[in-house]
Amino acid sequence: MINAICVVSAAAIRKEPSHRSEMTSQLLFGEIVQVLDEKEEWRKIKCHYDGYEGWLTFHLIEEVNDEVVINSNRYVTTGLLNPATLPDSLVNLPMGSSLTGFDEETRLLWDDKHKYHGTYRNTTNPTYNEDLFWNTIQPWMNAPYLWGGRTFMGVDCSGFVQTVYKVLGIPLLRDAYQQATQGVPVEDLMVAQSGDVAFFENENGKITHVGIILQGEQIIHASGKVRIDVLTDKGIFNKESNTQTHKLHSIRRMVRI
């Protein structure tokens, strides 16, 4: 089994081994993958963090040993953009990147070549408090929607929720319907709390959207862009268009508050 690590800010994961194939997700810097298959310059990978599979080119990853894998998701970046350096170059890391092998004293990463200079959290013990939560979500406002995206340069609804919760130290799966299997159910909106995750369904009852509940019957979600809208027991109400845009399916609590 070959393990590898992402060595760029964000690597596109594609459905098929082709640059023309749709991007289904992104691998963030420092995240570990298992290499499942090879096809010319392409590698089929399985993400260590969430089990997601897809294809990317070999230029974006480097092989690592098992010891590096063990030390992968303990520390994560917390700023929207975070500097790391090599001896002769700079890499800017998005929020939620894994500081694999991070040494808090030297600030060196797994290869002793990358040195981290930004803000970070030790996520060994999952944490939720309103200040941490708000400081994590607020910088994302107005980030553009991008199918498969996980960074502030472009993010989809489940990628946004997953990355926010990664900073909190709570691993979530990649897609909305998968995330809806995690945590514990919340009976209804009346007893929901800030930080709970709300899921929304299409006309066929399939979960297709997700967002994070805020205080005051509001929700932050990626729809066109990362935005805050009104949440009712029926779904999301957009004041700008004066319409209900998403039908509420269920609410889950991912962390004990």
Side-chain angles (χ1 to χ4, degrees), residues 12-247:
I13 299 175
R14 301 193 181 276
K15 187 174 182 179
E16 303 293 342
S18 168
H19 290 292
R20 294 178 180 272
S21 181
E22 70 170 306
M23 183 177 77
T24 56
S25 189
Q26 289 176 315
L27 194 65
L28 302 184
F29 179 90
E31 292 186 327
I32 301 290
V33 298
Q34 179 184 351
V35 179
L36 303 175
D37 197 6
E38 299 183 10
K39 187 175 183 180
E40 298 177 347
E41 66 175 337
W42 293 89
R43 303 291 181 267
K44 185 175 184 180
I45 55 92
K46 181 176 182 179
C47 301
H48 182 263
Y49 185 71
D50 58 16
Y52 212 78
E53 294 186 14
W55 292 85
L56 48 68
T57 63
F58 73 89
H59 315 84
L60 310 177
I61 55 176
E62 292 182 359
E63 187 173 340
V64 292
N65 59 38
D66 291 343
E67 184 178 353
V68 172
V69 177
I70 294 171
N71 295 315
S72 56
N73 293 311
R74 182 178 178 187
Y75 294 95
V76 299
T77 60
T78 56
L80 274 189
L81 202 61
N82 307 271
T85 53
L86 285 159
D88 59 353
S89 60
L90 171 71
V91 184
N92 284 304
L93 315 182
M95 181 186 290
S97 296
S98 294
L99 297 174
T100 300
F102 183 60
D103 184 303
E104 290 189 278
E105 183 175 346
T106 66
R107 300 183 75 93
L108 291 170
L109 302 183
W110 78 95
D111 57 0
D112 292 334
K113 296 178 182 178
H114 288 87
K115 188 172 185 177
Y116 184 63
H117 304 277
T119 57
Y120 64 91
R121 287 196 69 245
N122 183 336
T123 62
T124 302
N125 297 312
T127 303
Y128 180 94
N129 63 65
E130 278 296 324
D131 288 340
L132 172 62
F133 176 59
W134 181 251
N135 289 338
T136 301
I137 63 171
Q138 193 276 334
W140 287 86
M141 287 296 298
N142 297 307
Y145 182 90
L146 175 66
W147 177 267
R150 294 177 68 205
T151 81
F152 75 98
M153 295 297 290
V155 67
D156 63 22
C157 62
S158 55
F160 169 64
V161 173
Q162 184 191 49
T163 303
V164 167
Y165 268 86
K166 184 177 181 183
V167 173
L168 299 179
I170 301 149
L172 297 186
L173 297 173
R174 179 59 181 89
D175 293 332
Y177 76 93
Q178 297 172 316
Q179 294 171 358
T181 66
Q182 298 180 264
V184 296
V186 175
E187 184 176 355
D188 55 44
L189 188 58
M190 292 291 293
V191 294
Q193 300 178 11
S194 176
D196 288 344
V197 179
F199 298 92
F200 304 87
E201 63 186 20
N202 63 13
E203 61 276 8
N204 298 318
K206 180 181 178 181
I207 293 174
T208 56
H209 191 65
V210 61
I212 305 175
I213 295 175
L214 305 178
Q215 292 178 344
E217 296 183 342
Q218 293 183 313
I219 187 167
I220 185 168
H221 63 131
S223 180
K225 62 181 180 179
V226 176
R227 55 183 295 126
I228 294 175
D229 285 312
V230 175
L231 180 63
T232 73
D233 56 2
K234 293 183 179 179
I236 296 176
F237 183 81
N238 185 316
K239 285 186 176 180
E240 295 175 3
S241 62
N242 200 36
T243 59
Q244 180 182 309
T245 58
H246 298 81
K247 181 181 178 182

